[in-house]
């Protein structure tokens, strides 16, 4: 039994980092389904239910004054707005190899000193973000005998209306908190978002089927009239085919590039 819900979320900034640009962070144009699911789980999580994000609606941000021609023109030209900032980030990670070395030698440091191991990095963020997350949950085998979908539906709705959460929901990074409320009715699509916009490949989720080989899953995102439709396993070919299509695409691109390099190198080789 599917129990659907609509949650409106908004905030000042968001960063849903593209995996190919993780050093200098660059955000996707829209939240990833896994980030949206994490936001909902921050409000209420239980081992007896599993959330699935169905759609993400892009809304016009708060604070746009219709009388202000500058802000109106800016939004008309760029409905998805970005901004650049520089942040202090820890540049290293504590690896398992370092921890093992310290344990074997019996001396060393098992911590990172942020004041000594910090650097400034640029980030391309979303700003003035506002969405509606349409999601549903399914019961899992971890549910107790007395649990039922109606019970969980009431708990989630009550927590959202009261503003309760287990940890602060955020837009990709903890520095960018998300405000939320129960959405009774979807607002109309802004005219600036009418039509289709190709968002490229977007991270769908991680496949933990094999703990020894955790693999990312991607899908081709398209924003239609301000709505990002999220595929589900078994729909549009299934998550496995989403991964396979992406693997084949990049594999063909890599093979073509390699062949071109080999051809160029062969042509540049001097005659013997």
């Amino acid at each position: 039994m599917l129990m659907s819900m609509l949650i409106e979320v908004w905030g000042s900034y968001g960063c849903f980092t593209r995996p190919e640009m993780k050093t200098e962070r660059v955000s996707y144009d829209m939240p990833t389904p896994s980030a949206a699911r994490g936001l909902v789980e921050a409000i209420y999580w239980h081992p007896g239910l599993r959330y699935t994000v169905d759609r993400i609606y892009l809304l016009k941000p708060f604070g746009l004054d219709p009388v202000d021609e500058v802000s109106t023109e800016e939004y008309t030209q760029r409905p998805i707005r970005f901004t650049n900032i520089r942040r202090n980030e820890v540049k290293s990670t504590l690896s398992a190899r370092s921890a093992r070395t310290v344990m074997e030698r019996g001396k060393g440091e098992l911590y990172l000193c942020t004041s000594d191991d910090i650097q400034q990095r640029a980030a391309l963020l979303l700003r003035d973000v506002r969405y509606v997350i349409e999601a549903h949950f399914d019961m899992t085998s971890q549910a107790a005998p007395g649990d039922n979908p109606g019970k969980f539906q009431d708990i989630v709705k009550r927590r959202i209306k009261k503003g309760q959460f287990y940890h602060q929901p955020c837009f990709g990074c903890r520095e960018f908190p998300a405000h939320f409320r129960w959405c009774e009715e979807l607002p109309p699509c802004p005219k600036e978002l009418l039509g289709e916009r190709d968002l490229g490949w977007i991270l769908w989720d991680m496949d933990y089927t094999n703990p020894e080989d955790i693999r990312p899953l991607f899908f081709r995102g398209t924003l239609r009239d301000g709505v990002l439709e999220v595929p589900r396993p078994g729909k549009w070919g299934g998550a496995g085919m989403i991964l396979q299509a992406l693997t084949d695409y990049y594999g063909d691109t890599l093979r073509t590039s390699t062949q071109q390099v080999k051809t160029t190198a062969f042509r540049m080789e001097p005659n013997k």
Side-chain angles (χ1 to χ4, degrees), residues 176-243:
F176 312 132
H179 308 281
F180 61 91
R181 66 185 177 188
W182 186 264
C183 181
E184 298 290 350
E185 184 180 358
L186 285 170
C189 174
K191 62 180 181 179
E192 293 84 0
L193 296 175
L194 294 175
E196 288 193 2
R197 182 192 299 262
D198 184 12
L199 302 179
W201 291 104
I202 300 177
L203 178 67
W204 182 72
D205 215 322
M206 304 296 291
D207 182 8
Y208 294 94
T209 305
N210 182 5
E212 301 298 327
D213 184 23
I214 302 174
R215 310 180 73 184
L217 302 176
F218 296 82
F219 72 102
R220 189 78 182 192
T222 302
L223 194 67
R224 293 184 177 91
D225 296 336
V227 182
L228 175 62
E229 187 85 16
V230 180
R232 297 195 302 271
K235 183 181 180 182
W236 299 352
M241 292 189 66
I242 296 172
L243 173 63

Side-chain angles (χ1 to χ4, degrees), residues 97-110:
R97 178 181 297 179
S98 300
R100 189 180 302 111
T101 301
V102 173
M103 293 173 63
E104 292 175 351
R105 295 181 179 178
K107 61 179 180 179
E109 299 177 346
L110 281 174

